[in-house]
Amino acid sequence: MGDGGRDLAGGIGIANYVEITSGAPRERTEITVLAEGKVELVMGTMSSGQGHETSFAQLVTEWLGVPFESVSYFAHDTDRVAAGGDSHSGRSMKLATTIIGKATDDIIDKGRKIAGFLLETGEVDGTITLYRQEVRPFTDKPGGETVY
């Protein structure tokens, strides 16, 4: 025992890396639907190979019903980004899904209000789909008239 009286044992050790997938990073998105049919998505998170340019645009495409080619993604540009949380590995997609989902819901809600005002029906309760020009009856106007 040349180790100062301690008994040492040899063997194999196992360790596991754990990363919290939510954390406290701050992130923000701005989505602007332009008159010419383009959609601008602005975020602060910076891709380091995760494919944000594709995956974030796919979320907007799915939720707003716009063609993928119509979505322009702007990231980590301090002239355009009001707040951002850098890159967070796997957390970026989780955060982006949450905030892009909220932003697209807000856009659809605003679109329903605008459509209701323009159609003189109050807030529209039907399907709002940007770009696809889907038309279905929304509600009846006073007097029994169906509005499309």
Side-chain angles (χ1 to χ4, degrees):
M1 285 227 239
D3 59 0
R6 295 184 304 165
D7 291 328
L8 300 176
I12 298 174
I14 298 175
N16 188 28
Y17 170 74
V18 178
E19 178 183 25
I20 298 172
T21 58
S22 58
R26 188 176 70 157
E27 193 56 72
R28 179 172 196 265
T29 188
E30 294 176 20
I31 300 175
T32 306
V33 179
L34 303 173
E36 61 271 10
K38 300 285 185 187
V39 177
E40 290 185 346
L41 170 63
V42 178
M43 292 186 66
T45 188
M46 184 172 161
S47 179
S48 55
Q50 297 98 331
H52 294 169
E53 301 83 359
T54 302
S55 55
F56 295 172
Q58 286 173 328
L59 294 172
V60 173
T61 295
E62 176 68 23
W63 292 329
L64 291 183
V66 297
F68 180 80
E69 302 76 32
S70 71
V71 180
S72 297
Y73 175 62
F74 299 93
H76 55 278
D77 179 349
T78 56
D79 289 336
R80 298 198 66 179
V81 176
D86 307 316
S87 184
H88 312 289
S89 186
R91 292 175 284 185
S92 292
M93 190 63 189
K94 182 178 183 342
L95 287 167
T97 301
T98 302
I99 62 176
I100 292 172
K102 174 81 173 97
T104 55
D105 286 348
D106 290 348
I107 289 169
I108 291 168
D109 288 344
K110 186 173 183 177
R112 283 192 173 108
K113 290 175 182 166
I114 292 169
F117 175 78
L118 294 174
L119 297 171
E120 300 175 0
T121 63
E123 190 169 334
V124 172
D125 60 358
T127 300
I128 297 284
T129 305
L130 301 174
Y131 232 89
R132 292 187 192 148
Q133 299 178 350
E134 185 174 316
V135 178
R136 3 183 298 209
F138 292 124
T139 188
D140 289 334
K141 283 180 86 172
E145 183 181 341
T146 300
V147 176
Y148 289 91

